[in-house]
């Protein structure tokens, strides 16, 4: 069983291995998320550590950033590379025009919610070629379920994304997935973490609250009623402690 990473480099290494495993299993729309405050500021350096794994597997890797500025900065900082670096396009240069026959794998770095239509167009244009979404800022998109348009977006695109690597610090806990493992919840205990739950689907909302409340002994384990949201006392301290450990 893969355990929680001890630092950011180990988390990136785990995410590469998980993504490779998912690709080997035929998955073509993948997502890797290191959900921490200000992680977007490290998007370029994380992408630089992430890419080499897939250059060995695919001869035509293309890295896409959300805008021309971010793409230009990456090209400047990275210098000459075997893989190509571009952006998601604009109204004048649609993303479909960014795709070439020799491209074999697309790595999309740090897209925000407003870029979802472009990301979907990239996925459609890519056909059966893999698309990997690295550290997206799509949390609010996943909850747009109000209304017909939101349901359509989920059914048509968002539900197809395989979350092959996910790590997020919660209050006194960590939500974690490393493909092909199931979703795990780890509880902070005495400066360490203990595995308290494994589920096939990502636990969110009341389900996640129930898991944590049961582990902390503040809920009836047989109850199906929604658990009261855990108090946020100490949240920032715990989050900062875990983030500090990851980024050292």
């Amino acid at each position: 069983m893969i355990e929680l990473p001890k630092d950011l480099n180990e988390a990136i290494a785990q995410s590469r291995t998980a993504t490779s495993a998912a690709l080997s299993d035929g998955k073509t729309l993948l997502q890797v998320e290191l959900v921490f405050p200000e992680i977007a500021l490290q998007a370029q350096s994380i992408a630089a550590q992430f890419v080499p794994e897939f250059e060995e597997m695919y001869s035509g890797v293309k890295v896409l950033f959300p805008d021309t500025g971010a793409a230009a900065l990456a090209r400047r900082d990275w210098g000459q590379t075997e893989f190509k670096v571009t952006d998601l396009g604009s109204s004048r240069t649609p993303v479909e025009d960014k795709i070439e026959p020799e491209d074999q794998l697309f790595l999309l770095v740090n897209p925000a919610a407003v870029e979802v239509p472009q990301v979907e167009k990239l996925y459609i244009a890519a056909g059966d070629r893999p698309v990997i979404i690295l550290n997206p800022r799509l949390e609010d998109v996943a909850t747009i379920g109000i209304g017909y348009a939101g349901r359509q977006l989920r059914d048509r695109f968002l539900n197809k994304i395989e979350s092959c690597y996910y790590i997020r610090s919660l209050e006194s806990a960590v939500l974690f997935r490393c493909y092909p493992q199931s979703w795990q919840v780890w509880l902070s205990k005495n400066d360490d973490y203990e595995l308290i739950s494994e589920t096939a689907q990502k636990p969110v909302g009341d389900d996640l609250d129930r898991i944590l409340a049961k582990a902390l002994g503040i809920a009836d384990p047989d109850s199906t009623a929604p658990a009261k949201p855990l108090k946020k006392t100490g949240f920032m301290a715990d989050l900062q402690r875990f983030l500090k450990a990851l980024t050292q």
Side-chain angles (χ1 to χ4, degrees), residues 13-239:
Q14 284 183 345
S15 71
R16 291 197 307 259
T17 302
T19 305
S20 295
L23 288 170
S24 297
D25 284 346
K27 310 290 184 183
T28 58
L29 181 57
L30 308 174
Q31 186 164 279
V32 171
E33 294 178 272
L34 310 172
V35 189
F36 301 113
E38 300 180 357
I39 199 72
L41 299 177
Q42 300 187 52
Q44 183 180 301
S45 62
I46 291 172
Q49 294 179 67
F50 193 81
V51 172
E53 178 93 14
F54 306 100
E55 285 187 288
E56 296 175 8
M57 300 171 64
Y58 298 87
S59 59
V61 173
K62 178 165 280 183
V63 179
L64 298 99
F65 286 85
D67 56 73
T68 55
L73 189 61
R75 282 193 295 267
R76 185 201 71 185
D77 293 346
W78 291 345
Q80 194 68 28
T81 59
E82 291 293 326
F83 57 88
K84 296 178 182 177
V85 180
T86 187
D87 58 81
L88 261 179
S90 63
S91 54
R92 289 190 244 175
T93 53
V95 69
E96 291 87 347
D97 292 351
K98 305 281 182 175
I99 296 177
E100 298 167 303
E102 60 268 28
D103 296 333
Q104 292 187 12
L105 177 141
F106 303 93
L107 175 64
L108 177 55
V109 182
N110 207 214
V114 293
E115 275 105 34
V116 167
Q118 291 291 84
V119 178
E120 184 181 14
K121 288 175 184 176
L122 170 65
Y123 167 66
I124 293 169
D128 58 359
R129 291 171 286 183
V131 174
I132 303 169
I133 306 170
L134 178 62
N135 277 345
R137 293 165 287 155
L138 306 181
E139 287 294 316
D140 48 342
V141 176
T143 60
I144 356 184
I146 350 178
Y148 183 62
R151 289 195 300 274
Q152 275 196 317
L153 178 61
R154 283 203 316 280
D155 293 342
R156 189 180 67 237
F157 178 57
L158 294 177
N159 286 345
K160 295 179 181 178
I161 299 174
E162 177 75 40
S163 185
C164 60
Y165 191 83
Y166 184 98
I167 185 164
R168 180 175 196 163
S169 181
L170 307 165
E171 181 187 3
S172 302
V174 174
L175 179 57
F176 181 63
R177 198 222 174 176
C178 185
Y179 186 95
Q181 289 186 162
S182 54
W183 287 87
Q184 300 176 341
V185 181
W186 293 72
L187 188 67
S188 175
K189 285 191 175 181
N190 303 320
D191 294 326
D192 201 357
Y193 285 87
E194 175 188 336
L195 180 63
I196 60 168
S197 171
E198 292 189 84
T199 53
Q201 302 299 319
K202 179 181 180 181
V204 294
D206 288 340
D207 289 337
L208 183 55
D209 284 341
R210 272 193 292 269
I211 290 169
L212 294 173
K214 178 182 174 183
L216 293 169
I218 55 176
D220 177 357
D222 298 320
S223 173
T224 56
K228 292 182 180 179
L230 297 176
K231 293 180 181 178
K232 297 302 178 185
T233 309
F235 169 77
M236 287 309 296
D238 190 71
L239 179 59

